[in-house]
Amino acid sequence: MKVFRSLFEVLRSAAFDIGRRPMASALSIVAMTVAVFVFAVFLLLGHGVKGFLDRWANQTAVEVFLADGIDRGEIDELVARLERDDTVRRVDRVSSEAALAEFEQLFPDFENVEEILGENPFPASLRLVPASPDPERIVALVSRTEDDAAVAAVRYDREWIEALARMGKAISWFVFGGAMTLLLAALVTVGSVVRLALDDKRDEVLLMRLVGAPASFVIGPVLLSGALLGGMGGGLALLLASFSRSAFLSASSSSPLLGIAEVLAGEGLPPLDSILLFALSVVAGTVAAGLAAGKAAIT
Amino acid sequence: MIVFDQVSKRYRGNNSALQEVSLHIEHGEFVVVTGPSGAGKTTLLQMIYREVMPNSGRIVVEGKDLGRLSWRQVPELRRRIGVVFQDFRLLPRRTVAENVSFVLRALAWPRARRIERTRRVLEWVALAHRAHDWPSSLSGGEQQRVAIARALAAEPRLLLADEPTGNLDPERSQEILGLLREIHSRGTTVVLATHDLALIEAARVREIHLRAGRLSDDRTAQ
């Protein structure tokens, strides 16, 4: 019971500290809301663009042209080896007829190429869909496959794959850098508010120490008020981000920008990211409070 | 209850506050620590509740050697000690009752017990009728009585009063002395530091006299 009473007193004291300077506390919540909101928007856009890039990257295929004169058994063995490779998501067999049909579909002007050349110029091949668009893994896969005796040549669009990977990384760094800058600003604001509250109750802290209040009763409310300010800011930011996304999609629904809107915001923020963002705001508020209070709260 | 064994304290700048002070205060005693300003009275009291540590010597309070207490054990020691200051140190934005119950809240007393104890100590100091007033609306004597009520709230075994009448007129000083006597008569050990000669005369209790940080006299009241 004493533990619950102590916890209740710590909570009560933290709420009292926040209410002691309502304007400063509100400012602190707004700062945290803005920081986490922009973080959430960056993440949202990041997810949308990354999803779009991933879909592009998933269309990346490695064409494996088979050596002349190999029989069906050797092809089956090669396919089995490639299917066991964990860098390969899928192996499609492309017969010479299917390759020709694909070519004719892509270039209708050349639909009589077989008649002109007197034979089907396209060899049978295998089309590999890599498990990941990571260029290094694809290069390694290509290198392994090229060494196989059943393979005549391997082709893939290296520049395209590397460009996609670079773009994905750049987006991740942009989101991370922007978010960290904003979070730092929010930390300073929350820390200042907590420090002000602590300065305000210096007499109370001295008195608490004098009468033998446990250290948890002195430092607990300081940390908890930081956590509450951070949590309120984070919660508001997530609500705002969700509302803004819905409003953005709804406003774009009857405009030519719908496609872009769906690319940017269509995926939404995954629940795990939302939970992590909320937890991050709570932890950030607590850390800011702890750093701002420093020794003042316990010595 | 309190043992000082060859205790010395020097502040920065080689300012000596206490020099080789040895004394013994039994449980249930009423002791007045006297001496001119700067004699070391406040330092002596601060050492008892471990606000200040000696440079040499040993201090034992309630059987605990203060030099061996960890920082975690200090709050436990302080819960047994009530302290009253010359400048009252009341919280200006809390009512009289809140000033008293704040201590009990910090010690996680249950609400009902807290209310009852606050009411009782305010009755002792004859301020129950001012429970919901702000400290600033009270006279100096009343504020000091609130400070005493606050010091007594957590039922300490020892009450330390550092110049509690320093800001009061002679009549109010005698009131405070009467209150301290009553607290002592209920079984609480009282250590009062003062340089108020009239108060020392009226107290008629054991007097420990300090001069320039040294114990110059220790005499029991006749």
Side-chain angles (χ1 to χ4, degrees):
Chain A
M1 279 302 283
K2 194 172 177 187
V3 173
F4 288 117
R5 273 202 306 275
S6 299
L7 282 175
F8 175 74
E9 288 304 334
V10 166
L11 186 63
R12 186 183 169 282
S13 183
F16 189 80
D17 286 351
I18 290 173
R20 197 191 293 259
R21 284 179 174 267
M23 280 305 288
S25 297
L27 180 69
S28 166
I29 293 171
V30 168
M32 187 58 92
T33 303
V34 170
V36 178
F37 172 72
V38 176
F39 199 159
V41 168
F42 276 3
L43 267 184
L44 196 69
L45 296 182
H47 275 293
V49 174
K50 200 162 183 306
F52 182 66
L53 291 178
D54 281 349
R55 282 197 293 279
W56 267 1
N58 287 337
Q59 288 170 14
T60 305
V62 175
E63 299 285 346
V64 177
F65 297 100
L66 303 171
D68 289 336
I70 60 168
D71 61 27
R72 190 168 184 83
E74 287 172 303
I75 296 173
D76 289 344
E77 273 178 35
L78 174 63
V79 168
R81 274 200 299 281
L82 289 169
E83 281 176 342
R84 281 197 299 273
D85 193 320
D86 59 3
T87 60
V88 177
R89 191 197 309 162
R90 206 175 70 231
V91 181
D92 293 331
R93 292 172 194 249
V94 183
S95 64
S96 56
E97 293 76 20
L100 176 64
E102 208 173 278
F103 177 83
E104 287 174 347
Q105 197 182 350
L106 278 172
F107 305 101
D109 293 345
F110 295 100
E111 63 183 349
N112 54 354
V113 66
E114 194 175 9
E115 274 177 37
I116 296 167
L117 297 174
E119 61 174 355
N120 180 352
F122 296 99
S125 65
L126 300 176
R127 185 170 293 155
L128 311 184
V129 178
S132 130
D134 179 0
E136 281 182 20
R137 299 186 76 185
I138 294 176
V139 168
L141 168 68
V142 168
S143 173
R144 280 196 302 278
T145 312
E146 274 175 337
D147 292 343
D148 199 296
V151 173
V154 178
R155 280 186 202 149
Y156 71 107
D157 195 340
R158 182 174 182 160
E159 280 182 14
W160 172 241
I161 289 169
E162 286 178 348
L164 280 178
R166 276 199 302 274
M167 214 185 293
K169 269 186 189 165
I171 287 169
S172 302
W173 278 109
F174 179 68
V175 168
F176 184 74
M180 285 300 121
T181 309
L182 285 161
L183 201 60
L184 192 66
L187 284 187
V188 172
T189 315
V190 172
S192 306
V193 170
V194 170
R195 183 70 201 210
L196 280 175
L198 197 61
D199 283 345
D200 254 8
K201 63 173 202 172
R202 186 169 298 281
D203 291 345
E204 289 181 17
V205 171
L206 287 174
L207 187 59
M208 282 191 267
R209 290 179 52 228
L210 187 67
V211 300
S216 58
F217 191 80
V218 182
I219 191 73
V222 175
L223 298 181
L224 191 59
S225 56
L228 286 174
L229 289 172
M232 282 191 265
L236 274 176
L238 289 171
L239 284 176
L240 198 61
S242 169
F243 175 76
S244 304
R245 175 179 168 264
S246 305
F248 178 56
L249 287 174
S250 154
S252 319
S253 62
S254 54
S255 82
L257 295 174
L258 178 63
I260 297 174
E262 279 180 343
V263 165
L264 294 178
E267 299 215 357
L269 212 53
L272 182 65
D273 281 20
S274 300
I275 293 168
L276 285 177
L277 262 184
F278 181 74
L280 179 72
S281 10
V282 171
V283 170
T286 311
V287 169
L291 289 176
K295 280 187 163 182
I298 50 172
T299 58
Chain B
M1 181 176 214
I2 301 170
V3 178
F4 272 54
D5 182 14
Q6 296 289 304
V7 172
S8 295
K9 175 66 185 177
R10 260 185 318 280
Y11 288 110
R12 277 181 198 165
N14 220 18
N15 226 349
S16 188
L18 286 182
Q19 294 180 60
E20 296 177 348
V21 171
S22 292
L23 56 87
H24 195 122
I25 297 172
E26 292 292 344
H27 177 68
E29 270 195 278
F30 191 141
V31 178
V32 182
V33 180
T34 62
S37 294
K41 303 187 295 292
T42 297
T43 301
L44 188 137
L45 259 55
Q46 285 177 324
M47 284 181 166
I48 296 173
Y49 62 91
R50 207 179 180 270
E51 183 70 13
V52 170
M53 289 295 285
N55 296 109
S56 63
R58 196 168 75 105
I59 303 171
V60 179
V61 177
E62 289 260 296
K64 305 266 184 196
D65 184 339
L66 301 195
R68 290 171 187 267
L69 280 191
S70 69
W71 68 272
R72 286 171 189 276
Q73 291 171 305
V74 173
E76 212 172 287
L77 167 82
R78 290 183 176 172
R79 279 170 220 160
R80 299 177 193 178
I81 302 173
V83 188
V84 179
F85 301 95
Q86 179 178 349
D87 58 357
F88 323 134
R89 300 196 189 174
L90 298 179
L91 303 172
R93 279 180 292 186
R94 292 185 189 252
T95 64
V96 165
E98 284 168 350
N99 260 280
V100 175
S101 66
F102 176 80
V103 172
L104 305 175
R105 198 183 280 283
L107 299 176
W109 279 39
R111 189 169 181 271
R113 214 174 139 212
R114 211 166 59 211
I115 292 171
E116 173 55 24
R117 180 67 186 168
T118 302
R119 187 186 61 75
R120 184 173 292 185
V121 289
L122 284 177
E123 275 174 4
W124 277 358
V125 298
L127 281 175
H129 63 293
R130 307 293 307 260
H132 303 295
D133 291 339
W134 299 105
S136 56
S137 69
L138 306 182
S139 68
E142 286 173 325
Q143 289 193 41
Q144 192 57 291
R145 274 150 56 196
V146 176
I148 291 172
R150 186 180 65 189
L152 292 176
E155 300 171 341
R157 290 164 58 88
L158 169 63
L159 181 69
L160 305 175
D162 188 4
E163 301 279 8
T165 59
N167 285 343
L168 306 179
D169 60 45
E171 202 178 327
R172 298 287 89 77
S173 298
Q174 291 303 321
E175 263 181 35
I176 296 298
L177 179 63
L179 194 54
L180 293 177
R181 277 185 195 285
E182 194 187 327
I183 292 162
H184 171 245
S185 70
R186 291 171 193 256
T188 307
T189 308
V190 178
V191 179
L192 162 67
T194 183
H195 65 271
D196 182 341
L197 293 174
L199 201 69
I200 298 163
E201 187 72 23
R204 295 189 169 278
V205 293
R206 177 182 167 195
E207 181 187 346
I208 293 172
H209 190 75
L210 296 175
R211 185 177 294 277
R214 288 188 181 277
L215 196 156
S216 67
D217 198 5
D218 186 349
R219 60 169 181 256
T220 309
Q222 300 299 309

